[in-house]
Amino acid sequence: MTDSPENAPKATEIRARLQAERAATETQIDALNRDFTAIVEANALVAVDDEHDPDGSSTAFERAHVASLLTRARTHLEHLDDALTRLADGGYGICEICGATIPAERLEVRPATTRCVGCAGAAGPR
């Protein structure tokens, strides 16, 4: 998708949507970082032996869960940045596998996707 005169309003809308989702993802990352720090700081005050601490396993799970959510949010942020780059370069909405146009409905649900439905099903979503 290029910023030609007929596509300019559409590209502007897509850019705004990607930027809004990027801002929301950054906010989520900030909150998860605070949660992770709070878990680590709270555990610094207790015994470090998770195996014998009655709350150790749940604390370890919480820490791992938040770390996993952080990784996922950071990856999503990278995908959004890649989508903004593709939009600027004219490659947004084109399947990276087959080169077909990704349906608008799919882009509405997964704005950072790089694959059409058929290729995502065959290769796994991105």
Side-chain angles (χ1 to χ4, degrees), residues 73-122:
R74 288 177 179 142
T75 299
H76 184 60
L77 189 65
E78 290 173 14
H79 291 173
L80 291 168
D81 287 342
D82 292 345
L84 285 164
T85 299
R86 287 191 310 279
L87 184 62
D89 294 344
Y92 182 80
I94 306 298
C95 178
E96 69 181 0
I97 306 288
C98 70
T101 300
I102 299 171
E105 295 82 7
R106 177 161 172 78
L107 291 170
E108 183 68 29
V109 175
R110 297 183 58 95
T113 191
T114 59
R115 298 176 183 159
C116 67
V117 174
C119 291

Side-chain angles (χ1 to χ4, degrees), residues 60-83:
F61 172 80
E62 281 183 63
R63 188 174 51 240
H65 181 71
V66 171
S68 176
L69 291 173
L70 257 171
T71 299
R72 189 174 187 177
R74 288 177 179 142
T75 299
H76 184 60
L77 189 65
E78 290 173 14
H79 291 173
L80 291 168
D81 287 342
D82 292 345

